[in-house]
């Protein structure tokens, strides 16, 4: 994970109950709705607005792909995985993000609990398995194409 992502945490103390309603997601620890606990108008004045196209992993190891800009709560220990572009041809997009979220959860979700929470130090050591190409690096094109085909199949079922 550390090879392809810089892991950062939110500064400040965004508390949903203290922030005004708006249209910017506030991400916290949670197992549904991309971890979004509320939509707010702005953060607490200290915390940063994170760009979308990142992955969040909460203190319990629950991972989500975040397509849009968002704020994160600091007390929820939301790890923001910001892509290190260009490493082995890595460029994060929706399809790669959704695949990686699945791999992160499959590999590390069972390692964390309330008594043993996920943190950035441990997350940097966690490893996931990815399909590789002939050069021995992750096959990002195959991953992207596979996820696109799953996405198209799912859309046919829903529409």
């Amino acid at each position: 994970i550390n090879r392809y992502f810089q892991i950062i945490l939110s500064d400040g103390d965004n508390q949903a109950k203290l922030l005004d309603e708006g249209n910017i997601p506030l991400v916290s620890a949670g197992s549904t709705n991309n971890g979004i606990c509320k939509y707010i108008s702005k953060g607490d004045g200290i915390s940063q607005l994170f760009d979308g196209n990142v992955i969040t992993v909460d203190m319990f190891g629950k991972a989500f792909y975040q397509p849009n800009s968002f704020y994160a709560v600091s007390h929820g220990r939301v790890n923001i995985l910001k892509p290190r572009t260009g490493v082995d041809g890595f460029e994060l997009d929706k399809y790669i993000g959704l695949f990686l979220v699945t791999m992160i959860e499959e590999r590390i979700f069972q390692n964390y609990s309330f008594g043993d929470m996920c943190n950035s130090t441990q997350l940097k050591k966690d490893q996931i398995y990815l399909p590789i190409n002939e050069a021995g690096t992750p096959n990002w094109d195959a991953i992207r194409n596979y996820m696109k085909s799953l996405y198209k199949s799912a859309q046919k079922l829903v529409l």
Side-chain angles (χ1 to χ4, degrees):
I1 292 175
N2 193 47
R3 179 176 178 86
Y4 299 104
F5 293 96
Q6 174 188 5
I7 303 170
I8 50 182
L9 298 169
S10 179
D11 294 328
D13 189 21
N14 286 321
Q15 295 181 39
K17 64 184 176 189
L18 301 177
L19 299 169
D20 294 331
E21 298 274 339
N23 60 0
I24 304 170
L26 177 62
V27 175
S28 184
S31 60
T32 60
N33 197 31
N34 263 32
I36 299 168
C37 63
K38 184 177 183 177
Y39 286 87
I40 61 173
S41 60
K42 62 180 179 175
D44 63 2
I46 299 170
S47 59
Q48 65 270 37
L49 179 65
F50 292 98
D51 290 333
N53 196 39
V54 298
I55 293 173
T56 55
V57 181
D58 73 15
M59 60 188 169
F60 303 113
K62 182 68 179 161
F64 290 107
Y65 172 72
Q66 302 294 342
N68 302 311
S69 297
F70 65 96
Y71 284 100
V73 299
S74 56
H75 60 275
R77 296 192 186 129
V78 177
N79 299 280
I80 295 100
L81 280 60
K82 183 178 176 183
R84 299 180 195 271
T85 58
V87 179
D88 296 332
F90 176 59
E91 297 291 333
L92 188 64
D93 62 21
K94 172 175 74 172
Y95 301 106
I96 300 291
L98 292 173
F99 184 87
L100 292 176
V101 161
T102 303
M103 295 297 98
I104 289 169
E105 285 208 356
E106 185 68 28
R107 182 76 174 139
I108 71 167
F109 185 64
Q110 69 270 4
N111 296 340
Y112 299 108
S113 65
F114 189 76
D116 188 20
M117 294 183 191
C118 177
N119 60 57
S120 58
T121 302
Q122 185 58 43
L123 195 54
K124 287 177 184 177
K125 298 175 188 175
D126 284 328
Q127 295 182 357
I128 57 174
Y129 299 109
L130 300 172
I132 59 172
N133 57 26
E134 298 79 25
T137 60
N139 193 334
W140 302 117
D141 289 333
I143 292 169
R144 184 176 292 106
N145 291 335
Y146 172 70
M147 292 304 290
K148 281 182 179 180
S149 71
L150 288 180
Y151 197 77
K152 284 182 183 178
S153 296
Q155 280 184 320
K156 290 177 186 176
L157 294 173
V158 174
L159 300 175

